[in-house]
Amino acid sequence: MPPEAGVAGLPAARRRMPPWVATAALLLPSYAWLTLAVLLPLAAMFAFSFLHATPLGNKPVVWTLEQYRAFYDQPYLLGVAWASLSIGLWTTGICAVVGFAAALALVRATAGRARETLLILVLLPFWTNGLVRVFSWTMVIREGGFLDTFVRWFWPSAPSLGFLYTTPAIVLGLVHGYLPYMVLTCYIALLSIDEAVIEAAQSLGARWWTVLFKILVPLAAPGLVTGAILIFVPVIGAFMEPRILGGRVGVTMGTVIEDQFTQAFNWPLGSALAFTMLAVVLAVFATFSGVLRRSAAT
Amino acid sequence: MSGVDVTAVAKSYGATKVLTDITQSFESSSFTSLLGPSGSGKTTLLRIIAGFVAPDEGAVRIAGADVTGVPVHARNIGMVFQSYALFPHMSVAANVGFGLGRRGIRGKVAKAQVDEALEMVRLPGFGGRYPRQLSGGQQQRVALARAIVIRPDVLLLDEPLSALDRRLRQEMQVELLRIQRESGLTTIFVTHDQEEALTLSDKVAILDRGRIVQMGRPAEVYERPRTKFAAEFLGDANFLTGKIRGNTVEIAGATIATQDALPADGTSVTVAVRPEKIAIRPADSAGNDALENRLPATVSSVIYTGTALTYMLRTGDLHLKVFAQNSDGSPLAAGSAVVLSWAARHSVMVEG
């Protein structure tokens, strides 16, 4: 029997559906769920941000743009925004340096079982409860905590090194939580670099720092940028770490927004601040997308 | 003065001996091929000369200076890799200028040298392009320009042509040879392609299981192989094993003459004869050539390739191969009785 006979023999009812039907059928569940669980609440929040006050009880619904003037009306928010930004920059910067170094060590100096084990150890912070992770740091860095105890084994009269309730403490907690993103994105970027490219640089006279800054860092730039975005965006909105590790200094955009919802009960202001931050984050994305596309092309 | 001297170099990975006692000089301005099957240690030897691998024993000298303990970046070498290994994020000009920058040569002087190098590999005006915009052959030319622009003491080529297709490879062989002659660089070329090695090299070194079994001019190594391995790896060979009697070798009823110096009577030896050195004619035709060796045989099969014929033959337990030109257009049929003949100087005694 010739091969085409089988195709021709198919019942006419089983005509091929246009390809978009299958695509739509596969996408529908997840987009329906996203609409229900993310887009609708987000739209409600967006609507709230134009209200004068939280619409509870018998309060009349008054539409206004005043919430978006918050940074103008309450100048202290600028300071808070700056604090969030600098925490974000410090955290991202430290993660970039430490994460890149760790990824480089994993790619260049390990193999097989040892590499698998080390990768799992890198991922550990992901699998521990965030609250436990952050609280355990308070035990370590408070005055008279584990850090002080450890130092005083060697130097009994040492002054306290405890730095709980400072900005570095917040950054420490955030770096601990978000470092795995940077290690993983850099690891993948470094893994794809041909060993011969590094050897070629060495054969042309490059020492290790030239190889690092002229070859490895530029070639791993997509990994660094992706990691930086994955870290920076959630970090500037973080509120748990600033609250627990920052104490009095831990006032960030994250905590201010959280306060509007849970303490001040000013949902419209909270939503307006949140959407302002979303706009800033999207601007950051728009700035970096060009860089990402360019490095993806090489 | 020697370009590169390798003295008593040995290297093992765990219990595996990769190189055993390699001592070899690579003359200044010469083109030497390291030829061997995979696992013969040829790449390891090249990487020891480059400095990527430290030898367990022995010394490496480049341009007269002992570089055994010198790191790669401080040896003045040019290396071309099988995968080209261009820097994908740099333009062609930046790639070629990379080694100059490491030597403190920048600006106009560097640009002039980069242009000159690109001219030499016939890619003038390609400086502004990126590696991903070039074909495989062009990328390999850039890699070559990058390696020669720094005027290295030795140019190391690690199977640079094996990733190219056949036509491009032949074209690049010609280019490579021209560039090497023009630049006068001492060149060491690793390959497993015997034809490439014969075409390009001043000297061919044949490696087998971590040793250089023979090194010499291509014709010398091809015509007078010293070992069975060398004879078999470089070209094709028939091996005839027999005992010495007088000044001939006795093989299954026939005696084989050779011009090589023979050991004592009764010693068992192996003689190699290249398939193209053997003349073949039907047994019933008159033989009036002056060739010393004659061996009756039967044709088992013929492989017809147009310009040439390959005869597979049998004589007693012995299987032989003969290459013949297809000059009269009527190959001998399988089963025909033939007489093989060849000159005494083409019977080459080889070590087991």
Side-chain angles (χ1 to χ4, degrees):
Chain A
M1 192 169 75
E4 51 273 88
V7 178
L10 277 177
R14 292 181 60 187
R15 265 180 308 151
R16 283 186 70 85
M17 283 184 289
W20 63 265
V21 174
T23 313
L26 289 170
L27 287 177
L28 197 64
S30 60
Y31 275 87
W33 175 249
L34 277 176
T35 309
L36 200 68
V38 179
L39 296 180
L40 284 178
L42 217 55
M45 278 297 145
F46 194 58
F48 274 151
S49 74
F50 294 103
L51 289 180
H52 175 70
T54 315
L56 282 178
N58 293 326
K59 278 184 195 154
V61 173
V62 180
W63 298 97
T64 172
L65 278 171
E66 67 181 18
Q67 309 296 359
Y68 282 94
R69 270 178 28 204
F71 281 94
Y72 181 77
D73 293 339
Q74 292 157 288
Y76 86 98
L77 281 177
L78 286 176
V80 172
W82 172 246
S84 299
L85 194 67
S86 77
I87 287 173
L89 290 175
W90 273 106
T91 306
T92 310
I94 293 172
C95 282
V97 173
V98 176
F100 187 87
L104 191 60
L106 280 172
V107 171
R108 307 278 298 153
T110 65
R113 281 299 276 274
R115 180 183 283 189
E116 282 167 29
T117 311
L118 286 167
L119 266 176
I120 287 172
L121 287 177
V122 163
L123 289 175
L124 268 185
F126 275 165
W127 298 339
T128 45
N129 178 288
L131 211 53
V132 171
R133 199 178 64 221
V134 175
F135 265 114
S136 64
W137 275 115
T138 66
M139 317 265 275
V140 175
I141 60 174
R142 71 186 157 87
E143 262 180 60
F146 295 155
L147 178 66
D148 281 355
T149 313
F150 181 73
V151 171
R152 281 168 191 161
W153 272 353
F154 305 97
W155 183 17
S157 61
S160 174
L161 291 176
F163 58 100
L164 188 60
Y165 305 138
T166 62
T167 305
I170 303 172
V171 172
L172 176 72
L174 289 168
V175 166
H176 182 198
Y178 290 96
L179 187 60
Y181 287 113
M182 189 62 86
V183 176
L184 289 180
T185 56
C186 287
Y187 174 79
I188 290 162
L190 287 168
L191 209 57
S192 65
I193 298 176
D194 182 4
E195 175 76 21
V197 168
I198 296 160
E199 291 185 343
Q202 289 175 327
S203 76
L204 292 165
R207 288 153 196 265
W208 70 264
W209 61 84
T210 315
V211 173
L212 180 63
F213 291 112
K214 294 223 167 203
I215 309 293
L216 293 174
V217 170
L219 286 179
L224 278 165
V225 173
T226 310
I229 290 175
L230 285 177
I231 292 168
F232 185 76
V233 171
V235 158
I236 57 169
F239 57 90
M240 188 172 70
E241 287 87 350
R243 188 141 284 172
I244 297 168
L245 297 170
R248 222 165 30 78
V249 303
V251 180
T252 62
M253 288 311 289
T255 64
V256 167
I257 293 170
E258 194 215 359
D259 276 344
Q260 299 312 315
F261 284 95
T262 60
Q263 311 289 323
F265 226 65
N266 190 350
W267 289 16
L269 180 58
S271 332
L273 292 174
F275 278 101
T276 309
M277 278 187 62
L278 183 63
V280 171
V281 164
L282 288 178
V284 169
F285 265 114
T287 316
F288 275 110
S289 65
V291 178
L292 275 180
R293 211 172 307 128
R294 201 173 53 224
S295 31
T298 38
Chain B
M1 189 188 72
S2 285
V4 176
D5 282 300
V6 175
T7 318
V9 159
K11 180 72 192 175
S12 313
Y13 289 114
T16 321
K17 281 190 172 180
V18 184
L19 290 175
T20 323
D21 192 27
I22 302 265
T23 298
Q24 199 69 62
S25 277
F26 300 90
E27 275 167 44
S28 197
S29 299
S30 69
F31 193 121
T32 309
S33 291
L34 301 179
L35 182 64
S38 46
S40 61
K42 56 190 193 300
T43 298
T44 305
L45 180 56
L46 193 82
R47 293 174 67 79
I48 284 175
I49 295 169
F52 292 119
V53 175
D56 296 338
E57 287 165 47
V60 177
R61 299 170 74 82
I62 296 176
D66 189 337
V67 295
T68 317
V70 176
V72 180
H73 66 80
R75 301 182 181 195
N76 190 26
I77 56 163
M79 186 143 176
V80 178
F81 297 82
Q82 186 177 352
S83 60
Y84 321 138
L86 295 179
F87 308 129
H89 59 302
M90 294 186 197
S91 69
V92 167
N95 263 282
V96 178
F98 187 86
L100 295 175
R102 307 282 74 72
R103 283 157 179 75
I105 302 168
R106 293 189 168 83
K108 268 194 183 136
V109 189
K111 193 186 177 307
Q113 293 189 24
V114 167
D115 288 345
E116 191 192 337
L118 286 176
E119 195 86 42
M120 197 167 204
V121 297
R122 305 232 161 113
L123 288 176
F126 275 65
R129 300 206 196 176
Y130 278 82
R132 63 174 179 275
Q133 300 169 314
L134 304 179
S135 70
Q138 289 171 332
Q139 289 189 37
Q140 197 55 286
R141 282 162 198 257
V142 174
L144 196 57
R146 183 177 70 175
I148 59 177
V149 75
I150 57 172
R151 312 226 158 94
D153 291 322
V154 58
L155 180 62
L156 304 171
L157 308 170
D158 186 6
E159 308 208 20
L161 307 181
S162 58
L164 303 175
D165 64 51
R166 206 180 124 80
R167 247 199 60 195
L168 205 53
R169 194 159 71 225
Q170 289 172 345
E171 204 180 298
M172 278 300 286
Q173 286 175 2
V174 176
E175 288 286 280
L176 189 58
L177 202 57
R178 175 184 63 79
I179 289 162
Q180 195 269 334
R181 294 287 183 265
E182 276 177 34
S183 59
L185 290 170
T186 309
T187 304
I188 303 177
F189 178 74
V190 162
T191 181
H192 59 252
D193 183 329
Q194 36 157 313
E195 218 173 292
E196 203 164 88
L198 290 174
T199 318
L200 294 174
S201 324
D202 298 315
K203 290 272 179 70
V204 177
I206 295 183
L207 278 91
D208 178 27
R209 282 167 292 167
R211 290 172 190 277
I212 293 183
V213 292
Q214 192 169 3
M215 173 149 157
R217 288 180 300 102
E220 186 183 306
V221 176
Y222 183 79
E223 303 300 341
R224 322 282 328 152
R226 262 211 296 273
T227 69
K228 210 169 157 175
F229 176 84
E232 224 171 4
F233 191 73
L234 196 64
D236 250 309
N238 294 302
F239 296 109
L240 313 168
T241 303
K243 281 198 165 52
I244 305 276
R245 173 164 304 174
N247 53 3
T248 59
V249 183
E250 204 172 65
I251 294 156
T255 54
I256 306 294
T258 168
Q259 287 184 344
D260 290 358
L262 291 172
D265 252 25
T267 321
S268 183
V269 294
T270 301
V271 165
V273 187
R274 295 283 186 201
E276 75 280 6
K277 301 290 193 295
I278 301 176
I280 185 166
R281 63 180 162 79
D284 46 16
S285 72
N288 52 2
D289 51 35
L291 300 173
E292 294 91 334
N293 290 306
R294 254 170 247 291
L295 196 64
T298 316
V299 176
S300 336
S301 63
V302 192
I303 300 165
Y304 181 86
T305 58
T307 56
L309 301 164
T310 302
Y311 288 104
M312 311 301 281
L313 306 121
R314 216 177 45 233
T315 170
D317 295 338
L318 206 59
H319 292 269
L320 294 162
K321 192 188 238 183
V322 170
F323 298 150
Q325 287 302 309
N326 183 16
S327 40
D328 65 359
S330 52
L332 297 162
S336 350
V338 294
V339 174
L340 306 177
S341 50
W342 68 91
R345 63 193 167 89
H346 289 142
S347 312
V348 182
M349 252 200 5
V350 291
E351 292 166 22

